[in-house]
Amino acid sequence: MINAYTVIGQPIAHSLSPLIHGLFGQLTQRRVRYTRTEATSETFEAIVRAWRENGGLGCNVTMPFKEQAHALCDRLGASAARAGSVNTLQFHRDGAIVGHNTDGAGLRVDIERNLAHPIGGARLLLLGAGGAARGVVGPLLDARPASLTIANRTVSRAQRIVQAFEHDPSADPVPLSACALDELPARVAGRGGFDLVINATSLSLSGELPALPEGLFADGALAYDMAYGPSDTVFMNWSRERGARVAGGFGMLVEQAAESFQIWEGVRPKTHKAWGRLQELLNAA
Ligand code: NDP
């Protein structure tokens, strides 16, 4: 029997997930078939239900359906309940649709294990307060940074994330704060640079850079861009020029996929064994 999965999004033709999961199937010797499915907000729910009726075991969900996926679940795993969005749907034998969010776990594995950069004890700056930012805050707090600042163009969105997490057990005793992007120069002047800066804005997708101040990075800082592509982003180049170590979000993409695969298939692919092949896939895409 072949276990069938799909990734649902709009647009979806560019998704690397079928290639990544195909490789995971080979690595773990599981018979899996993984396809791409395009949806609209009107067709999304019917597509998920039809996928389940036709014997599929689960789906990944990507932009712009992660909140809609959260709303249709019969049950939520802890990761999805905290994130307020779902990127992994699991169809249980009892018929329930169970939602998970593996983005934050994938980001943590990439930063802490693959890049060997500590999150625990780091002065952490998260740029952006959209769906991706909100989805990773819980797992980042679990790693116990020294502080977490969320800076966003629209400060109210950053404040809403802070409010959502300030009573989370993992936020105790991590100081959490929100600010507008244009308040960053004053923050840096007052408190010094950050040890870890994660760009979760969508600006890299259009080749743009948020307005960032000099002095943003402490010595040895890592600048991590959640966006990924075959070449470095403007944010990565700007950060490297200011002495930071840099990384793009391809590792996060691979590791969140490995977390989803584990939820469905019960085994986590050894991603480091496939790293060379995965990079080839990215470069060829
Ligand atoms: P959203 O559309 O939900 O959020 C976009 C964010 O970017 C908001 O904080 C928004 O600020 C900010 N932004 C947009 N335009 C500007 C601008 N001109 N100036 C300043 N800030 C701006 O997107 P997502 O959160 O879903 O995705 C964010 C990024 O994360 C994307 O690059 C995406 O590809 C990446 N990603 C990577 C993953 C991976 O596995 N590597 C997984 C998920 C996402 P405002 O609130 O003010 O509008």
Side-chain angles (χ1 to χ4, degrees):
M1 199 182 88
I2 298 184
N3 293 341
Y5 305 99
T6 193
V7 56
I8 306 175
Q10 167 71 262
I12 200 63
H14 66 285
S15 172
L16 297 175
S17 294
L19 298 171
I20 294 171
H21 282 274
L23 200 56
F24 287 171
Q26 291 169 26
L27 280 176
T28 58
Q29 300 182 324
R30 299 290 166 125
R31 284 164 59 82
V32 298
R33 189 176 73 238
Y34 190 109
T35 56
R36 299 179 184 91
T37 304
E38 182 127 351
T40 64
S41 53
E42 289 75 30
T43 61
F44 174 74
E45 182 164 347
I47 286 173
V48 170
R49 295 194 188 282
W51 190 255
R52 183 183 55 168
E53 301 316 316
N54 291 329
L57 297 185
C59 311
N60 279 133
V61 179
T62 186
M63 273 169 60
F65 301 124
K66 291 183 184 181
E67 279 79 24
Q68 227 178 314
H70 182 269
L72 76 73
C73 288
D74 300 305
R75 294 198 295 270
L76 292 173
S79 59
R82 269 173 121 190
S85 66
V86 160
N87 77 339
T88 305
L89 294 170
Q90 180 187 25
F91 303 147
H92 270 215
R93 289 211 184 95
D94 65 6
I97 300 178
V98 182
H100 306 269
N101 191 314
T102 64
D103 283 337
L107 176 68
R108 261 194 83 174
V109 171
D110 196 37
I111 292 177
E112 294 185 305
R113 194 189 71 192
N114 299 346
L115 298 166
H117 190 91
I119 301 174
R123 287 160 296 173
L124 171 51
L125 173 64
L126 186 59
L127 300 168
R134 156 104 205 209
V136 300
V137 165
L140 289 172
L141 288 173
D142 290 340
R144 293 285 188 268
S147 61
L148 172 60
T149 304
I150 304 175
N152 195 43
R153 175 178 61 178
T154 312
V155 69
S156 57
R157 292 185 84 188
Q159 286 164 339
R160 276 203 293 279
I161 299 180
V162 167
Q163 282 157 10
F165 282 91
E166 62 193 354
H167 300 300
D168 192 288
S170 64
D172 182 25
V174 181
L176 274 176
S177 62
C179 70
L181 281 175
D182 55 18
E183 289 172 62
L184 275 176
R187 294 262 171 161
V188 169
R191 299 182 202 171
F194 294 91
D195 305 302
L196 175 57
V197 179
I198 299 173
N199 183 14
T201 72
S202 51
L203 280 170
S204 296
L205 302 177
S206 51
E208 294 171 84
L209 182 71
L212 297 172
E214 297 298 330
L216 188 67
F217 301 111
D219 285 349
L222 173 68
Y224 190 101
D225 201 335
M226 280 198 196
Y228 56 85
S231 48
D232 288 352
T233 65
V234 194
F235 171 75
M236 289 164 71
N237 290 330
W238 183 90
S239 304
R240 186 186 291 108
E241 284 161 16
R242 281 148 187 86
R245 184 183 170 206
V246 302
F250 185 61
M252 172 181 172
L253 177 77
V254 170
E255 298 301 347
Q256 62 79 26
E259 299 284 328
S260 297
F261 194 94
Q262 180 170 27
I263 287 169
W264 295 325
E265 292 286 322
V267 56
R268 197 182 196 285
K270 293 188 169 49
T271 48
H272 61 278
K273 289 199 171 169
W275 211 249
R277 181 75 190 106
L278 289 164
Q279 286 290 344
E280 283 170 21
L281 292 177
L282 175 67
N283 294 336

